[in-house]
Amino acid sequence: MTDTLLPAAPQPLEESDGYFRKGCNPLAQTGRSRLQNQRAALNQQILKAMRMRTGAENLLKAATNQKVREQVRLELSFLNSDLQMLKEELEGLNISVGVYQSTEKAFIIPLIPLGLKETKDVDFSVVLKDFILEHYSEDSYLYEDEIADLMDLRQACRTPSRSEAGVELLMSYFIQLGFVESRFFPPTRQMGILFTWYDSLTGVPVSQQNLLLEKASVLFNIGALYTQIGTRCNRQTEAGLESAVDAFQRAAGVLNYLKETFTHTPSYDMSPAMLSVLVKMMLAQAHECTFEKVCLPGIQNEFFVLVKVAQEAAKVGEVYQQLHTAMNQEPVKENIPYSWASLACVKAHHYEALAHYFAATLLVDHQLKPGTDEDHQEKCLSELYDHMPEGLTPLATLKNIHQRQQLGKAHLCRAITHHEESMREASLCKKLRNIEVLPEVLSAAHQRSQLKYTQLREDDDLLDLMDAPSIISKAEKEVEIILPQFSKVTVTDFFQKLGPLSVFSANKRWTPPRNIHFTAEGGDLGFTLRGNSPVQVHFLDPSSSAAEAGAREGDYIISIQNVDCKWLTLSEVMKLLKSFGENGIEMKVVSLLDSMSSVHSKCATFSVGMQKTYSMICLAIDDDDKTDKNKKVSKKRSFLSWSINKNRQKSVSTLCLPSVGVPGPPVKKKLPSPFSLLNSDSSLY
């Protein structure tokens, strides 16, 4: 249905690569692209309506004239009505499952995919250029191509292909955001870049000057894309069903990772409660595909096979019943599409009915004959129920034809009741009535159970009818969450020319680059080197030419004779110094400044239609510490949402701030001798 413009195999980016991977062609008129375009247009209309409603509410609060207030109330009622209609239209798009299903026609119940979150354009160029010039003291125009690549990658992620290539595209951008955050987003200030994302369920826009909103939204889209891949799989083949199960398990893993990692996202669709429900929905759909895989080759009318199929169907009905219960709990009840909750209820009754139908079939169609393994059948029947009906035992029921038929008819009655309830629930929801294949599947299953019961029905059934016991749910293959595997995606830092990330990051501050011009007399540099990419000056002789030129211990060597040394190893730097040792050496160095405590700026999170939340983190050290040197200073915990520790105290901020540490005491250093270029066997190598 959609095509990638270029192959999306995971390949490391090279400097010569003008372009890497792209998303789908946004102008391609596929069903999915049209649906996503409609979703984007609705988001804009919802944003406009909410702004008008906010303005009307403010006017109502400020107005004192009674006529004006009545007029504003009238306008506000119209705006609320329009907004409700827009949200219902968005809900209709969310349940447009037909567009996302496999192109092969099949007599199966559709699955529910998630739509991708929409976003606005972001311009990184000005802010990143200014930061490169200010923080790294480098010519920002040398990084125009890298900034353009970052913006192109973000734009491509807005239209990913519905395949593994699209998932890798989103994952590569998510990993790249980790590099960008470390390079350009210091925890002590806001960078002035506003990220805006629309809630996929309500259309409400959320804006933040915080890269964590960008990362969380990309993660959500990775999970949503997995759901679209799962619904696209051909469920009429074993390979297609295996792919669908894998896709839904991976979707659940990504959404669960998002829930545990970003705990205070301001968007409804990424709240912990909503994500918990979405994880349950993905696992339920994976269970459903597992059951379809069991039934794919055809269900043999054999006792032990029917026991297995009945328990598998009961498992699917159980997980959908749990999902339906979770969807009707606060606070997610208001934002979950009604059609989703209705479909979960329909499937819960449908698969529970199938479980009772298969249980009835194994009791009615299979009589215990001489030579049959009685012990095995007795064990299977006892494990099928949590308890037998009063007055019945497994072995006696197997041997008594009348008891088997009575218990089988009781199962058929429960099956027919569940079938009727599933059809009733489907008929109550307008969105589900528009899914053509759904009533056909439900009706066919209902007619099969009724036909079976009609063949066994007798005039005195009402007198002998018993209550059928519940069937124990059991899955042969457990469905589990598969965590996202970011390590399998090869990504190169766009801004690696700035130097190793362990040193050249936004969290560290340096002096401006200093030019050191010195000579090596008799091959003696006057210092040794340590470290590895970048190399540091170590054991500096205070009487050497390098020291007199301004070199200091701990300086990072960033260039020698205009040759960039930030990524060179110690041996490579030594070799370079040897080549210029006879003449004067021009070396450029920077020194790391001491980390200073600072007051963090206020982090404002604004979402249209949602309450404004502010958080201020003050990490300044107490003034009493200046006078009391013996007083212990404890490290303060990060006040943030970016935390994998579940037991960490929750905060209202989504900003990631590091804890403040106390610098240790200075270490005395000794000057070794001699300082020679030939001292290549030093233990500091």
Side-chain angles (χ1 to χ4, degrees), residues 87-220:
K87 289 187 175 181
E88 289 178 358
E89 191 174 349
L90 181 62
E91 179 185 339
L93 295 182
N94 287 329
I95 197 59
S96 298
V97 295
V99 175
Y100 296 99
Q101 305 302 312
S102 173
T103 55
E104 292 81 6
K105 292 185 178 181
F107 193 70
I108 49 180
I109 302 178
L111 301 171
I112 301 176
L114 297 178
L116 300 180
K117 291 174 69 70
E118 291 287 340
T119 183
K120 288 185 176 181
D121 291 335
V122 173
D123 187 359
F124 289 99
S125 57
V126 176
V127 174
L128 297 192
K129 283 182 179 179
D130 290 345
F131 194 82
I132 290 173
L133 181 61
E134 170 197 347
H135 188 79
Y136 294 100
S137 301
E138 293 199 26
D139 187 356
S140 58
Y141 290 99
L142 298 176
Y143 294 87
E144 286 184 341
D145 290 342
E146 287 78 3
I147 296 174
D149 285 343
L150 177 63
M151 295 174 65
D152 287 344
L153 180 58
R154 186 184 191 274
Q155 188 66 23
C157 288
R158 298 178 67 176
T159 56
S161 61
R162 192 164 35 145
S163 62
E164 285 296 331
V167 172
E168 291 174 3
L169 179 67
L170 291 174
M171 282 189 173
S172 64
Y173 179 57
F174 178 79
I175 298 172
Q176 194 67 238
L177 286 176
F179 293 132
V180 172
E181 183 179 28
S182 299
R183 296 281 191 189
F184 302 107
F185 286 79
T188 55
R189 69 173 185 178
Q190 298 291 341
M191 293 302 296
I193 300 178
L194 189 66
F195 301 98
T196 300
W197 287 84
Y198 293 89
D199 192 294
S200 65
L201 300 178
T202 66
V204 176
V206 176
S207 298
Q208 274 191 338
Q209 293 187 31
N210 195 334
L211 197 65
L212 295 183
L213 175 63
E214 181 89 351
K215 296 172 73 175
S217 299
V218 172
L219 269 181
F220 183 92

Side-chain angles (χ1 to χ4, degrees), residues 600-615:
H600 291 265
S601 60
K602 187 161 39 175
C603 170
T605 299
F606 176 63
S607 173
V608 178
M610 298 176 62
Q611 184 179 3
K612 294 182 180 179
T613 58
Y614 296 89
S615 62

Side-chain angles (χ1 to χ4, degrees), residues 23 28 157 220 254 258 430 441 453 480 599:
C157 288
F220 183 92
V254 172
L258 173 59
K430 179 181 178 182
V441 174
Y453 181 74
E480 298 178 349
V599 178

Side-chain angles (χ1 to χ4, degrees), residues 569-582:
T569 62
L570 191 147
S571 58
E572 291 172 337
V573 172
M574 288 292 293
K575 183 178 180 180
L576 191 61
L577 288 171
K578 287 181 182 180
S579 63
F580 299 110
E582 299 298 329

Side-chain angles (χ1 to χ4, degrees), residues 1-3 23-41 93 96 99-100 116 118 158-162 228:
M1 294 176 66
T2 53
D3 300 314
C24 296
N25 182 359
L27 301 179
Q29 289 301 308
T30 63
R32 191 173 69 116
S33 64
R34 285 194 295 269
L35 192 63
Q36 202 67 28
N37 289 337
Q38 293 175 22
R39 193 191 307 274
L93 295 182
S96 298
V99 175
Y100 296 99
L116 300 180
E118 291 287 340
R158 298 178 67 176
T159 56
S161 61
R162 192 164 35 145
Q228 295 181 13

Side-chain angles (χ1 to χ4, degrees), residues 488-507:
K488 291 188 175 182
V489 181
T490 304
V491 178
T492 302
D493 182 8
F494 283 151
F495 300 93
Q496 61 180 350
K497 289 193 300 184
L498 291 172
L501 191 58
S502 59
V503 176
F504 297 98
S505 67
N507 293 331

